[in-house]
Amino acid sequence: MFEPGPAPAELIRIKRDGGVHDPEAIRAVVRGITDQSWADSQVGAWAMAVLLRGLNAQERRDLTLAMAQSGRVMDWRGAPGLRGPILDKHSTGGVGDKVSLIVAPLVAACGGVVPMISGRGLGHTGGTLDKLESLAGFGVHPTEAVLQACLREAGCAIIGTGPDLAPADRRLYAIRDVTATVESLDLITASILSKKLAAGLQALVMDVKVGSGAVMPELAGAQALARSLVEVAAAVGLPTRALITDMGQVLGRTAGHALEVQEALEVLAGTACEPRLLELCMLQAAHLLVMGGLQPNLDAARAVVRTALDSGAAAERFARMVALQGGPRDVLRDAQLPRAPHTVAVWPSGLRQGRVRSIDVRAVGLALLHIGGGRARPGDVIDPRVGLTGVLGVGEVFSADRPLAQLHAASAEQARKAAAQVAAAFDCVDEAVKVAVPPLVPAVLHPGQGQGEGNASAPS
Ligand code: URA
């Protein structure tokens, strides 16, 4: 006889009252989300109950697995021409974070295969897909044949999730977004890892941001999220390391879509190397090579990564990927990136000399969002031209010929307004004042490790 599953209201009540869901209950929730038999209101109520009451380790694992299996699970074994381990990285989001654009081809040039599933920006944080779309013609939803060709010939592809990949997450995330339940650590963990599991990865590096531009601004919150990601990933069989990295300043010298693609191209070509950006790219790539079994330890991996950059091999992989995904045919020679017509220098009010003490990075991201450099709501149209170049970091000195940044905008009026907002986000002091620069990587978490080791370059 047909056994109906538990009623939605009953499952919501159990979680509301602090009860524990067994694996079948979790599967029933995910089924209800996926097949739409649960109403939006019921999904929202359940998400709120989870946010308030939490999930235990077993529930988090069960939710992650059930969401990963709610749609297609990619299986790369036996795919013709793919010869490396399937690797990926994922960042919790920030301002100026163009690391994915560099790490995907870098790892590909060192023997990995990177089917990178990326997201769009929302709020003050940028999205990799939006950045790549500033390259004319670049398609983030390639056909299966194009995706396979990219992975075979470039070793990497950067794509968006299709409707068939973790569909439970797609619906749950949209409902969380409008029910103030995005912040649940349990739901963030299941959301991120379910998509990575569905992508058929063999190893993952998580970049968990901390600081004023991060979703988790405090170290304790970032550490809790990193620990949750590493532990759940280990429990579901996806080897994962988490790097907790500083988002207390813009990463690299640029923020804004086309401007970040330009900076990524310069890093790949060896003509720009803002040290923190370069270090983070090398570190993430090195961890992936070790986890994928391509290199024995981090020192060896860093040497290989350096060679892939210096030889132009990584740049070549990026160019191949861009051409195969429909972008410019020779992006290294002519990227055809759009440029904003107005540029103004950003100065702190009344000051022409001093040192940057701290930056409200979220406010910088929001200033760009207000002039079209981001989305306040899904579906908002982005202006890929707007953003910042030459952005100074914490501890750096500005002077008469070196402003805090250059602001690029569609009109003189927007440039002036946004420049004032960006300037207000910088806290500046006299040049003689000593300023402590936060470490780039305060901690690295490995599977089975309860806490960070705090040494970015320690061999694995
Ligand atoms: N990124 C995701 O994919 N999901 C979340 O819940 C948060 C960030």
Side-chain angles (χ1 to χ4, degrees), residues 250-305:
V250 171
L251 188 56
R253 293 290 181 204
T254 62
H257 297 83
L259 297 168
E260 289 188 43
V261 172
Q262 182 61 41
E263 187 175 21
L265 280 165
E266 289 166 11
V267 172
L268 286 166
T271 55
C273 57
E274 192 282 316
R276 289 164 71 93
L277 171 61
L278 186 63
E279 170 60 17
L280 197 48
C281 293
M282 295 206 29
L283 193 60
Q284 292 189 14
H287 273 285
L288 281 171
L289 297 187
V290 173
M291 294 176 81
L294 291 165
Q295 293 298 325
N297 56 52
L298 280 182
D299 285 342
R302 287 176 76 94
V304 168
V305 165

Side-chain angles (χ1 to χ4, degrees), residues 90-92 169 173 176 182 184 187-189 191-192 195 215:
H90 187 84
S91 154
T92 56
D169 177 62
Y173 192 88
R176 285 167 59 207
V182 167
S184 159
L187 298 180
I188 294 174
T189 302
S191 169
I192 292 174
K195 286 174 288 207
V215 180

Side-chain angles (χ1 to χ4, degrees), residues 138-208:
F138 191 94
V140 298
H141 293 293
T143 62
E144 187 66 31
V146 170
L147 174 60
Q148 293 282 349
C150 264
L151 295 177
R152 233 179 10 249
E153 293 169 34
C156 58
I158 303 183
I159 59 172
T161 45
D164 54 350
L165 210 77
D169 177 62
R170 180 174 286 252
R171 180 160 182 239
L172 179 56
Y173 192 88
I175 294 172
R176 285 167 59 207
D177 201 27
V178 292
T179 54
T181 50
V182 167
E183 292 85 351
S184 159
L185 204 125
D186 303 304
L187 298 180
I188 294 174
T189 302
S191 169
I192 292 174
L193 291 181
S194 62
K195 286 174 288 207
K196 296 296 170 188
L197 273 180
L201 301 184
Q202 285 163 260
L204 171 68
V205 163
M206 279 299 312
D207 181 356
V208 179

Side-chain angles (χ1 to χ4, degrees), residues 72-365:
R72 174 179 169 219
V73 178
M74 291 177 168
D75 185 355
W76 303 101
R77 283 168 303 182
L82 298 192
R83 274 183 296 274
I86 309 294
L87 308 172
D88 196 5
K89 54 86 52 178
H90 187 84
S91 154
T92 56
V95 178
D97 184 357
K98 67 279 294 172
V99 168
S100 291
L101 305 181
I102 301 161
V103 166
L106 198 43
V107 170
C110 298
V113 176
V114 188
M116 186 178 279
I117 300 197
S118 293
R120 300 213 174 263
L122 191 63
H124 72 283
T125 64
T128 299
L129 300 182
D130 300 319
K131 291 171 198 177
L132 282 166
E133 281 178 347
S134 55
L135 291 164
F138 191 94
V140 298
H141 293 293
T143 62
E144 187 66 31
V146 170
L147 174 60
Q148 293 282 349
C150 264
L151 295 177
R152 233 179 10 249
E153 293 169 34
C156 58
I158 303 183
I159 59 172
T161 45
D164 54 350
L165 210 77
D169 177 62
R170 180 174 286 252
R171 180 160 182 239
L172 179 56
Y173 192 88
I175 294 172
R176 285 167 59 207
D177 201 27
V178 292
T179 54
T181 50
V182 167
E183 292 85 351
S184 159
L185 204 125
D186 303 304
L187 298 180
I188 294 174
T189 302
S191 169
I192 292 174
L193 291 181
S194 62
K195 286 174 288 207
K196 296 296 170 188
L197 273 180
L201 301 184
Q202 285 163 260
L204 171 68
V205 163
M206 279 299 312
D207 181 356
V208 179
K209 301 287 188 197
V210 63
S212 60
V215 180
M216 296 282 177
E218 304 301 331
L219 187 58
Q223 270 173 329
L225 177 56
R227 210 172 293 128
S228 169
L229 286 162
V230 169
E231 284 171 5
V232 174
V236 297
L238 173 56
T240 296
R241 293 182 187 177
L243 277 56
I244 298 180
T245 77
D246 180 45
M247 191 27 75
Q249 52 186 306
V250 171
L251 188 56
R253 293 290 181 204
T254 62
H257 297 83
L259 297 168
E260 289 188 43
V261 172
Q262 182 61 41
E263 187 175 21
L265 280 165
E266 289 166 11
V267 172
L268 286 166
T271 55
C273 57
E274 192 282 316
R276 289 164 71 93
L277 171 61
L278 186 63
E279 170 60 17
L280 197 48
C281 293
M282 295 206 29
L283 193 60
Q284 292 189 14
H287 273 285
L288 281 171
L289 297 187
V290 173
M291 294 176 81
L294 291 165
Q295 293 298 325
N297 56 52
L298 280 182
D299 285 342
R302 287 176 76 94
V304 168
V305 165
R306 185 77 254 179
T307 303
L309 271 177
D310 293 347
S311 66
E316 169 61 22
R317 296 292 179 139
F318 185 77
R320 266 192 244 170
M321 177 190 79
V322 168
L324 285 161
Q325 289 192 236
R329 292 177 62 170
D330 190 354
V331 74
L332 300 178
R333 286 224 177 84
D334 184 10
Q336 303 165 37
L337 288 164
R339 285 172 168 274
H342 294 272
T343 304
V344 297
V346 179
W347 296 102
S349 166
L351 283 181
R352 281 293 182 274
Q353 191 138 16
R355 192 182 291 281
V356 178
R357 179 162 60 183
S358 65
I359 305 167
D360 180 348
V361 177
R362 187 169 189 275
V364 172

